Amino acid sequence: MCYLIAKDVDAVGCVALKTTHGKHLSEFKKKIMDKVGYDRIQLVTISRPSAYGEYEPYNFVETKEEFEEAVSAM
């Protein structure tokens, strides 16, 4: 288990999705970055949110669709 984090480098907080490692995650990250670009959105994979206070507050979403919508709206 891991968390995919999307962070707007100019804003406070992030969007987080609980997921698993694997090819599907890599492809999902690429799809999002192709859509939003690399200028101000940072995507990272972390093991546990409590260890990464720099991304707080966390806005947890339940589905890939919710995650993609939230990142597109950043």
Side-chain angles (χ1 to χ4, degrees):
M1 177 186 68
C2 63
Y3 293 85
L4 177 59
I5 304 298
K7 169 86 172 107
D8 181 334
V9 297
D10 296 327
V12 174
C14 69
V15 177
L17 174 69
K18 188 175 182 180
T19 187
T20 56
H21 290 285
K23 185 176 179 181
H24 67 94
L25 179 57
S26 176
E27 291 171 351
F28 183 59
K29 288 171 70 174
K30 181 174 176 5
K31 175 185 172 186
I32 290 175
M33 294 314 291
D34 287 346
K35 185 175 182 180
V36 300
Y38 293 84
D39 293 337
R40 44 178 253 290
I41 303 298
Q42 175 188 33
L43 288 183
V44 294
T45 306
I46 63 173
S47 56
R48 53 191 171 92
S50 61
Y52 297 88
E54 65 268 27
Y55 297 114
E56 291 179 341
Y58 290 91
N59 176 25
F60 292 96
V61 295
E62 297 293 322
T63 66
K64 286 183 174 182
E65 293 78 17
E66 287 180 285
F67 187 86
E68 197 168 349
E69 287 176 21
V71 174
S72 294
M74 289 181 147

